[in-house]
Amino acid sequence: MRNFTSVKDFASVEEALAKAIAVKKNPFADQALGKNRTLLMIFFNSSLRTRLSTQKAAMNLGMNVIVLDVNQGAWKLETERGVIMNSDKSEHLLEAIPVMGCYCDIIGVRSFAGLTDRESDYNEVILNQFIKYSGRPVFSMESATRHPLQTLADLITIEEYKKTAKPKVVLTWAPHPKALPQAVANSFAEWMNETDYEFVITHPKGYELAPQFVGKAKVEYDQDKALAGADFVYAKNWSAYNEADYGKVLNMDRSWTVTTEKMALTNNAYFMHCLPVRRNMIVSDDVIESPQSIVIPEAANREYSAQTVIKELLLGL
Ligand code: AN0
Ligand code: CP
């Protein structure tokens, strides 16, 4: 594998899953593979899980790890070419990226959608510059449009908990006070569409995701109907994708919060969320604390999704 930015970088979801399960079974089998190799993790945005799980994954592979929070201690970076740099930005990404590449073998990048310019976000301008100018394999630790390490962990978790071969999986929008990217929802939909699960997306009108991510999924605007018979409820907030409202919070309708009453409509479903989650906006205390909540094992699987991907990148060096 040369870079990892989406499900397309694996031959299939089945292949990704099989590799991840093997890694989880014996996480220290490849300690020699990463010896004297360095992973550089670049964060343009905050993180708890991605930061810890990816570092742990690299350590399991015997690697050295350097972490840089671009907004804390590094020079402020200009990202647009052609700008006269007479303001607060001291360095251009076009120098910073190849310099970063000098000190490592693999680069992980977290750069969220800016949510102001849809075209720039959906063209993955920042991530693609890392791929083009770093001279190193690059993997996404959540880019503008996708969060594939999260989705691979989600998939491992569903496979571990599912009670039927083809579970009904429902991705439901839920309210949140701040505008969030569509990346987690996009990525989840993109991978679910590659499985043989029954996959339904539910959200209020106006929150339609990009058609290339919705794919063949069933879209149901009535959350109660969508939840009927669900085996897994995957909650997430996202801001509007449509051109007129791009990046906006259209409503904070708490009738979409995942509560015990909502879960009662399901087939005793498991509750999932990528975290961080706002309680009593996205999900009630009772649901997230219930035995059906698998958010912690889901987060634990981030170690193995990261390790699977970094291992493939090491093998491709
Ligand atoms: C981010 C998002 O919604 O994309 C990261 C989730 C893993 N969430 C927040 O910023 C709260
Ligand atoms: N789920 C996830 O990516 O969490 P962090 O933003 O804390 O890394």
Side-chain angles (χ1 to χ4, degrees), residues 46-51 110 142 147 150 274-276 302:
S46 304
S47 166
L48 188 154
R49 278 143 293 273
T50 304
R51 180 184 301 265
R110 166 164 283 200
E142 186 172 340
H147 193 1
Q150 179 64 50
C274 63
L275 308 181
R302 289 293 306 274

Side-chain angles (χ1 to χ4, degrees), residues 175 254 257 278-286:
R254 289 185 58 243
T257 302
R278 291 196 185 223
R279 284 178 174 222
N280 304 310
M281 288 296 296
I282 303 280
V283 58
S284 70
D285 290 316
D286 290 343

Side-chain angles (χ1 to χ4, degrees), residues 47-96:
S47 166
L48 188 154
R49 278 143 293 273
T50 304
R51 180 184 301 265
L52 298 179
S53 62
T54 310
Q55 178 156 0
K56 176 65 163 62
M59 292 183 333
N60 292 351
L61 291 162
M63 297 184 84
N64 301 309
V65 183
I66 307 173
V67 183
L68 179 66
D69 289 292
V70 172
N71 299 321
Q72 282 167 29
W75 301 106
K76 250 187 178 244
L77 293 178
E78 177 58 60
T79 56
E80 299 287 321
R81 200 175 167 278
V83 168
I84 300 169
M85 289 173 59
N86 61 358
S87 185
D88 60 331
K89 312 264 176 70
S90 309
E91 178 156 27
H92 203 287
L93 207 55
L94 290 172
E95 282 76 53

Side-chain angles (χ1 to χ4, degrees), residues 169-186:
V169 178
V170 179
L171 167 63
T172 180
W173 180 92
H176 190 276
K178 288 187 177 169
L180 295 183
Q182 298 95 34
V184 171
N186 285 344

Side-chain angles (χ1 to χ4, degrees), residues 11-312:
S12 64
V13 287
E14 291 76 19
E15 189 214 33
L17 196 55
K19 288 187 164 167
I21 288 165
V23 161
K24 185 169 179 174
K25 252 191 201 141
N26 197 353
F28 303 110
D30 299 301
Q31 280 267 311
L33 191 61
K35 190 171 159 38
N36 294 332
R37 298 290 193 183
T38 299
L39 170 65
L40 176 59
M41 295 162 67
I42 302 291
F43 287 94
F44 287 85
N45 316 91
S46 304
S47 166
L48 188 154
R49 278 143 293 273
T50 304
R51 180 184 301 265
L52 298 179
S53 62
T54 310
Q55 178 156 0
K56 176 65 163 62
M59 292 183 333
N60 292 351
L61 291 162
M63 297 184 84
N64 301 309
V65 183
I66 307 173
V67 183
L68 179 66
D69 289 292
V70 172
N71 299 321
Q72 282 167 29
W75 301 106
K76 250 187 178 244
L77 293 178
E78 177 58 60
T79 56
E80 299 287 321
R81 200 175 167 278
V83 168
I84 300 169
M85 289 173 59
N86 61 358
S87 185
D88 60 331
K89 312 264 176 70
S90 309
E91 178 156 27
H92 203 287
L93 207 55
L94 290 172
E95 282 76 53
I97 291 174
V99 168
M100 291 172 190
C102 295
Y103 310 133
C104 64
D105 300 285
I106 295 175
I107 305 186
V109 180
R110 166 164 283 200
S111 73
F112 287 0
L115 296 179
T116 51
D117 180 343
R118 184 170 89 157
E119 203 184 314
S120 159
D121 286 345
Y122 275 70
N123 284 331
E124 291 288 6
V125 171
I126 304 280
L127 185 68
N128 284 331
Q129 291 195 69
F130 273 89
I131 291 171
K132 197 162 169 198
Y133 299 116
S134 70
R136 302 293 176 204
V138 171
F139 65 94
S140 163
M141 301 195 297
E142 186 172 340
S143 70
T145 65
R146 293 176 177 89
H147 193 1
L149 287 180
Q150 179 64 50
T151 317
L152 178 52
D154 299 335
L155 189 68
I156 301 167
T157 312
I158 292 172
E159 283 296 309
E160 287 173 337
Y161 282 84
K162 74 178 190 186
K163 292 181 187 131
T164 50
K166 297 179 185 177
K168 178 175 178 184
V169 178
V170 179
L171 167 63
T172 180
W173 180 92
H176 190 276
K178 288 187 177 169
L180 295 183
Q182 298 95 34
V184 171
N186 285 344
S187 216
F188 190 73
E190 187 169 52
W191 287 65
M192 287 302 115
N193 276 318
E194 300 279 321
T195 68
D196 55 7
Y197 306 158
E198 181 186 350
F199 179 52
V200 178
I201 305 175
T202 184
H203 54 72
K205 287 238 158 74
Y207 283 106
E208 289 76 14
L209 294 166
Q212 66 268 32
F213 291 105
V214 175
K216 61 182 188 333
K218 179 166 192 239
V219 177
E220 169 61 68
Y221 291 102
D222 181 331
Q223 191 193 35
D224 289 0
K225 270 194 198 159
L227 292 175
D231 297 300
F232 292 88
V233 174
Y234 192 98
K236 184 70 185 86
N237 171 268
W238 60 87
S239 60
Y241 167 75
N242 78 71
E243 195 156 16
D245 302 317
Y246 183 68
K248 289 202 183 114
V249 175
L250 303 177
N251 70 62
M252 278 185 253
D253 183 354
R254 289 185 58 243
S255 73
W256 281 75
T257 302
V258 180
T259 58
T260 304
E261 294 71 43
K262 294 280 180 183
M263 291 300 281
L265 301 169
T266 70
N267 180 28
N268 196 25
Y270 288 109
F271 175 80
M272 299 180 73
H273 189 279
C274 63
L275 308 181
V277 73
R278 291 196 185 223
R279 284 178 174 222
N280 304 310
M281 288 296 296
I282 303 280
V283 58
S284 70
D285 290 316
D286 290 343
V287 170
I288 198 163
E289 291 170 5
S290 76
Q292 293 309 105
S293 168
I294 53 173
V295 297
I296 306 302
E298 181 184 0
N301 279 329
R302 289 293 306 274
E303 179 177 342
Y304 307 109
S305 68
Q307 192 171 334
T308 304
V309 167
I310 298 168
K311 180 181 166 181
E312 289 303 304

